[in-house]
Amino acid sequence: MTEKPVVLMPEDIQRIMGKDAQRNNILAARMVAEMVKTTLGPKGMDKMLVSPTNEIIVTNDGVTILEEMQIEHPAAKMMVDIARTQDSEVGDGTTSVVMIAGKLLENAERLLDKKIHPTVIAKGYKIAAEKSQEILNEIALKIIPDNDDILKQVAMTSMTGKGAESSKEKFADIIVKAIKQIQTDGKIDLNDIKIEKSKGDGMADTELISGIVIDKEKISNDMPPVVNGARIVLIDFPLELKNPEIDTKISISSPEQLQGFLNQEERLIKEMVSKVKDTNANVVFCQKGVDEFAQYLLSKSGIYACRRVAKSDMEKLAKATGGKIVSNLNELSPSELGFAETVEQIKHGDDSFTYVRGCRNPKAVTILIHGGTSHIIDEIERAFKDGLGVVASSLKTRMVVPGGGAIEMELAKRLRTFGQSLNGREQLAVEEFASALEFIPSTLAENAGLDPIDVLTELKSKHDAGERNAGLNLFNNKIEDVLAARIIEPYKIKSQAINSASEVANMILRIDDVIASNGKGKSGSSMRTEMNEEF
Ligand code: ADP
Ligand code: MG
């Protein structure tokens, strides 16, 4: 009698087990960290990413690079995820978090080689991460929310070395002003800050507008260029009779019939426009199309109108002006109107924008980014998002830390002292955790063309001597008190990064079996080929 084989899984399932799975995952994660490493810090380089459709992105932003790379390896994807979390939670520090996680795993390999069990390493890392949070809380600097100067410094530190560098002082000022304006009862919703982009002038022309700017011009030249005391109608239905995308056929057999038809059409449009006029509005923002005859009638009545306004802009306009978006002609009434002091068309380069200023809701603000090319504008936008993120985060926690690797050095030092109280194996893990944090200052040095070992040695001796704010100042390449050099970061950048990095490292360490269906996760990834070479 022949025994039937036991089939647990279908044949196309791929499985890697034990050490292979572990080393394979660790390698993939390390490769992700290697990839972004050269962009870290003010002297970091940019990357140019070219999409299959030949669109180009030039960036220094960790999360943008990783997202555009379309990474497929499952462990590498987990690294991309922590960069994303860092981006949504803090808005900055995406390169750092990935680098720390990669280094934690690299150092874990050394311990694995010494036959220390992965769960012991994971436990040691967890202890170290918790202790780090404790130390961070203890040594972070408390700030008062009124200290605009500190907030500006935090914004500038996050923008140093980005495309926005040359105007960072002005941008920091815009960021702090914008956030202060939208803040209510200590709460900040960054969605309240609209970012609009204009190609043409230089980045130094970037401006903060108290109000909403939309990238639409008035429909007709005959409409007034400025409306003071704006009474605004917001509609999301078209001011036209038929959907122009659908061809309708009507059969007409006599000139009278045609005239009759046209008359009726005119009459209906007239009715629509007069309903708008009846509300006593002098500005119309329409999410859909506006018929030519309607344009003529609106112009004749001195009404400023924009058509095909984006839905998101309509919502922002509603919030800013206190108006309601009306979906039905018959619901139009004066009570649905929004208000603003002025609505005005302003031209920048080839594009015209509509500025809605002096809104009823003072929380409405727009940052209008100017720049010579769309690549520059996009990178400035990313820098603004980082800056907005760090200032909001600093205000939320009211805590900041010194940058330039200073906080990482101090954490490492204190972790090592703490490690001495633990048993041998955990102590080793805590030590590796500490040296993973030092990867940040050493890379800042390396990317600036300095000798990382010299820099680390000097930093260590200064911290041992009690200089807790000693960091690498890359404005002058000196090791000194970075707080005095105004290199400051939000506390949350570090606490979030340490949390996420240690969590993902521990998760990857504990995996010793990778089961992938349809061959996905094993093949189809360009990383896979490179990794095989190493085994
Ligand atoms: P991330 O994506 O992690 O924010 P960045 O490329 O923005 O990466 O670099 C952030 C690092 O650069 C932080 O460690 C920060 O302290 C450091 N840094 C910023 N400005 C300076 C400076 N002037 N001198 C030294 N380090 C700086
Ligand atoms: Mg940054």
Side-chain angles (χ1 to χ4, degrees):
M1 208 178 81
T2 51
E3 263 182 49
K4 273 197 182 158
V6 181
V7 180
L8 210 54
M9 295 182 289
E11 261 176 27
D12 63 347
I13 295 267
Q14 309 234 22
R15 190 165 180 193
I16 325 172
M17 283 191 290
K19 271 206 177 117
D20 277 354
Q22 207 167 44
R23 301 284 167 135
N24 179 318
N25 284 337
I26 291 178
L27 185 60
R30 279 176 49 194
M31 285 170 70
V32 174
E34 277 302 308
M35 211 113 52
V36 291
K37 183 183 154 185
T38 54
T39 69
L40 184 82
K43 301 285 168 72
M45 303 296 279
D46 294 348
K47 288 200 190 287
M48 182 189 261
L49 304 154
V50 185
S51 78
T53 52
N54 267 343
E55 271 169 64
I56 295 168
I57 298 180
V58 178
T59 186
N60 182 294
D61 189 50
V63 71
T64 308
I65 296 167
L66 294 174
E67 283 189 335
E68 293 297 323
M69 281 191 341
Q70 298 173 6
I71 286 172
E72 282 196 8
H73 189 288
K77 270 186 168 167
M78 292 164 84
M79 300 281 279
V80 181
D81 268 350
I82 56 169
R84 263 193 215 120
T85 309
Q86 181 81 17
D87 197 40
S88 63
E89 290 289 315
V90 195
D92 192 15
T94 55
T95 313
S96 307
V97 68
V98 167
M99 283 176 54
I100 295 173
K103 202 64 175 181
L104 283 174
L105 285 164
E106 185 182 330
N107 294 357
E109 266 192 319
R110 278 212 290 265
L111 300 175
L112 290 171
D113 290 342
K114 289 186 190 154
K115 304 270 178 293
I116 298 180
H117 196 270
T119 53
V120 176
I121 306 173
K123 186 169 170 221
Y125 277 3
K126 187 158 181 275
I127 295 172
E130 281 165 6
K131 187 69 191 174
S132 304
Q133 299 296 350
E134 206 182 299
I135 303 171
L136 259 182
N137 269 308
E138 190 187 314
I139 61 180
L141 297 140
K142 319 283 178 284
I143 57 165
I144 50 163
D146 295 340
N147 194 337
D148 286 2
D149 185 48
I150 289 257
L151 296 174
K152 273 184 214 163
Q153 290 176 29
V154 171
M156 279 196 276
T157 301
S158 83
M159 287 189 284
T160 307
K162 311 272 177 222
E165 168 95 41
S166 58
S167 298
K168 66 177 179 178
E169 231 172 304
K170 178 173 182 186
F171 293 177
D173 197 50
I174 290 179
I175 287 168
V176 173
K177 281 205 179 107
I179 289 190
K180 291 268 157 118
Q181 202 168 330
I182 59 145
Q183 189 178 24
T184 26
D185 308 327
K187 288 214 175 66
I188 300 163
D189 180 359
L190 290 180
N191 292 321
D192 284 337
I193 300 176
K194 178 170 194 278
I195 294 186
E196 191 58 75
K197 307 180 233 182
S198 161
K199 203 156 90 181
D201 307 319
M203 67 170 94
D205 298 309
T206 296
E207 53 190 319
L208 174 68
I209 296 115
S210 290
I212 301 288
V213 177
I214 59 171
D215 64 338
K216 290 283 167 201
E217 52 189 347
K218 58 192 168 81
I219 313 173
S220 147
N221 270 335
D222 299 328
M223 291 175 175
V226 194
V227 175
N228 290 310
R231 299 178 297 277
I232 303 165
V233 156
L234 302 163
I235 52 176
D236 65 2
F237 58 85
L239 281 181
E240 55 195 5
L241 287 180
K242 52 183 193 290
N243 186 342
E245 278 114 46
I246 303 170
D247 255 341
T248 24
K249 270 196 191 137
I250 43 164
S251 46
I252 286 168
S253 47
S254 70
E256 291 76 31
Q257 239 180 341
L258 177 64
Q259 196 52 49
F261 174 75
L262 292 176
N263 285 347
Q264 186 183 351
E265 220 182 33
E266 273 195 5
R267 195 173 46 77
L268 287 171
I269 296 271
K270 251 189 191 154
E271 253 177 51
M272 284 178 133
V273 173
S274 66
K275 286 216 166 122
V276 170
K277 273 170 36 188
D278 285 349
T279 61
N280 199 23
N282 49 16
V283 176
V284 176
F285 289 111
C286 176
Q287 198 179 316
K288 302 277 168 55
V290 177
D291 177 271
E292 252 177 58
F293 184 54
Q295 293 170 24
Y296 163 77
L297 294 173
L298 289 168
S299 312
K300 224 175 64 175
S301 311
I303 294 177
Y304 184 114
C306 294
R307 65 179 158 182
R308 305 207 181 284
V309 177
K311 186 162 186 263
S312 58
D313 283 344
M314 292 295 289
E315 282 158 6
K316 288 212 165 76
L317 284 167
K319 202 168 169 187
T321 64
K324 287 209 188 82
I325 301 172
V326 178
S327 312
N328 187 326
L329 190 61
N330 295 319
E331 282 166 17
L332 267 178
S333 82
S335 62
E336 320 285 277
L337 293 186
F339 299 92
E341 269 160 35
T342 57
V343 170
E344 181 181 8
Q345 173 166 309
I346 294 179
K347 210 171 160 152
H348 294 292
D350 292 337
D351 304 319
S352 289
F353 294 81
T354 294
Y355 283 53
V356 182
R357 279 188 276 218
C359 296
R360 198 170 249 190
N361 179 355
K363 273 172 65 181
V365 299
T366 303
I367 295 172
L368 182 60
I369 299 175
H370 295 272
T373 73
S374 51
H375 301 139
I376 294 176
I377 295 176
D378 288 347
E379 185 67 347
I380 295 176
E381 182 183 10
R382 286 188 281 273
F384 259 105
K385 287 194 169 150
D386 284 4
L388 288 165
V390 293
V391 172
S393 164
S394 306
L395 277 170
K396 238 178 250 170
T397 62
R398 298 194 179 181
M399 285 197 277
V400 295
V401 295
I407 189 77
E408 286 85 357
M409 290 308 295
E410 187 65 19
L411 277 170
K413 177 189 124 181
R414 294 184 186 218
L415 276 177
R416 286 203 178 93
T417 315
F418 160 75
Q420 284 161 6
S421 65
L422 301 171
N423 75 42
R425 289 169 178 234
E426 278 163 9
Q427 181 179 344
L428 285 179
V430 171
E431 262 164 30
E432 292 299 357
F433 195 101
S435 78
L437 294 177
E438 288 168 352
F439 188 39
I440 299 293
S442 94
T443 307
L444 286 173
E446 196 178 326
N447 287 351
L450 304 171
D451 185 295
I453 296 176
D454 287 351
V455 169
L456 272 195
T457 314
E458 197 180 334
L459 277 172
K460 261 186 194 156
S461 77
K462 289 217 159 149
H463 279 261
D464 285 342
E467 291 183 40
R468 65 155 84 158
N469 299 327
L472 176 57
N473 174 359
L474 288 174
F475 293 127
N476 59 10
N477 289 354
K478 283 202 179 117
I479 288 162
E480 56 185 23
D481 184 331
V482 282
L483 275 190
R486 304 164 75 86
I487 304 166
I488 306 176
E489 296 187 278
Y491 150 88
K492 186 82 194 281
I493 272 199
K494 307 299 171 186
S495 73
Q496 180 69 43
I498 289 172
N499 242 340
S500 301
S502 62
E503 269 174 20
V504 81
N506 283 353
M507 192 180 272
I508 290 175
L509 269 177
R510 286 166 180 275
I511 299 168
D512 78 337
D513 197 355
V514 178
I515 306 157
S517 58
N518 300 325
K520 262 203 166 170
K522 258 197 109 181
S523 60
S525 144
S526 59
M527 291 184 133
R528 178 69 200 167
T529 23
E530 283 174 58
M531 275 185 311
N532 278 337
E533 283 161 16
E534 289 226 1
F535 284 109

